[in-house]
């Protein structure tokens, strides 16, 4: 059973990464803008505090938050979960307690999307008059980078991705893979497992 889960995870990761290197969900210009901000020191230590606001109607936010939590722990990034309407998104200053004195604040407003498959069959004696819609998984996100001292918005990037999922696959694995791609765009030095 564990081997099957591992193989399934690897197939999902390979399918989502594709054959041509790192998958990007932001444009090349946006990627250059992100890379122009020194979010990490030369020793890979972070120069920012991270805030995540996730909205969703199912458990997909838990999977997304777990992916970001793993990243923040492994990279020694201070992470806080906030509400989608937190003042940070409008003023650059978090509503709750202040963070450590670092040059930047990175905040993501995230909305995961998990759409189950749908099979519309009906009619008399099994006539098939409907159709099949495969399951989908994805998200929309807005990445904000603020100057931590002034609260000035330095960068505002919209990212989204949506993929058709295997009907028998685990949505949790897809959501985590999607979040790892997003994290990889934010932090190209992060090695995902």
């Amino acid at each position: 059973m564990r081997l099957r889960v591992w193989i399934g995870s690897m197939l999902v990761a390979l399918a989502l990464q594709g054959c041509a290197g790192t998958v990007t969900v932001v444009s090349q210009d946006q990627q250059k803008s992100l890379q122009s901000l020194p979010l990490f020191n030369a020793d890979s230590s972070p120069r920012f505090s991270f805030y995540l606001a996730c909205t969703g109607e199912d458990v997909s936010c838990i999977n997304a938050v777990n992916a970001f939590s793993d990243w923040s722990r492994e990279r020694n990034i201070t992470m806080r979960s906030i509400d989608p309407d937190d003042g940070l998104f409008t003023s650059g200053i978090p509503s709750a307690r202040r963070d450590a004195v670092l040059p930047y604040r990175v905040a993501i407003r995230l909305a995961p999307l998990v759409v189950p498959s749908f099979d519309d069959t009906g009619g008399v004696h099994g006539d098939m008059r409907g159709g099949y819609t495969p399951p989908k998984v994805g998200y929309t996100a807005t990445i904000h980078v603020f100057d931590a001292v002034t609260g000035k918005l330095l960068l505002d990037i919209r990212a989204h991705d949506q993929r058709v999922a295997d009907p028998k696959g685990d949505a949790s694995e897809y959501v985590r893979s999607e979040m790892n791609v997003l994290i990889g765009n934010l932090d190209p030095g992060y090695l995902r497992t």
Side-chain angles (χ1 to χ4, degrees):
M1 177 69 174
R2 290 179 67 133
L3 178 62
R4 188 171 26 185
V5 170
W6 180 82
I7 290 172
S9 298
M10 292 304 294
L11 290 174
V12 167
L14 289 172
L16 293 178
Q17 288 181 354
C19 300
T22 303
V23 175
T24 60
V25 292
V26 298
S27 72
Q28 282 186 323
D29 290 338
Q30 292 171 326
Q31 191 69 36
K32 286 179 186 175
S33 295
L34 265 174
Q35 292 171 358
S36 72
L37 294 172
L39 296 177
F40 294 92
N41 291 311
D43 66 356
S44 295
S45 61
R47 300 185 71 220
F48 64 95
S49 297
F50 178 70
Y51 296 83
L52 179 65
C54 189
T55 58
E57 297 179 9
D58 53 34
V59 297
S60 57
C61 269
I62 293 170
N63 295 310
V65 169
N66 287 341
F68 279 99
S69 293
D70 291 347
W71 167 66
S72 66
R73 251 189 326 274
E74 290 175 32
R75 297 289 272 157
N76 295 316
I77 298 167
T78 301
M79 177 182 157
R80 292 193 177 85
S81 291
I82 58 174
D83 291 328
D85 59 351
D86 191 280
L88 174 64
F89 293 108
T90 54
S91 70
I93 309 293
S95 298
R97 57 189 168 148
R98 302 276 173 140
D99 48 19
V101 181
L102 295 170
Y104 304 103
R105 286 188 190 100
V106 176
I108 295 180
R109 192 178 294 172
L110 176 71
L113 170 71
V114 176
V115 179
S117 61
F118 181 74
D119 191 2
D120 185 19
T121 60
V124 181
H125 305 295
D127 290 337
M128 301 290 285
R129 289 187 281 157
Y132 172 75
T133 303
K136 294 180 180 75
V137 64
Y139 65 91
T140 58
T142 306
I143 303 167
H144 305 276
V145 181
F146 299 98
D147 179 283
V149 175
T150 65
K152 179 182 176 186
L153 179 64
L154 302 174
L155 196 57
D156 183 26
I157 295 176
R158 306 226 188 289
H160 70 280
D161 201 14
Q162 182 174 313
R163 301 188 185 278
V164 172
D166 177 358
K168 295 180 182 176
D170 182 355
S172 301
E173 292 297 324
Y174 280 95
V175 170
R176 182 171 277 276
S177 293
E178 292 285 327
M179 294 304 98
N180 282 336
V181 170
L182 180 60
I183 290 166
N185 281 235
L186 184 62
D187 178 7
Y190 179 59
L191 300 176
R192 301 179 300 280
T193 55

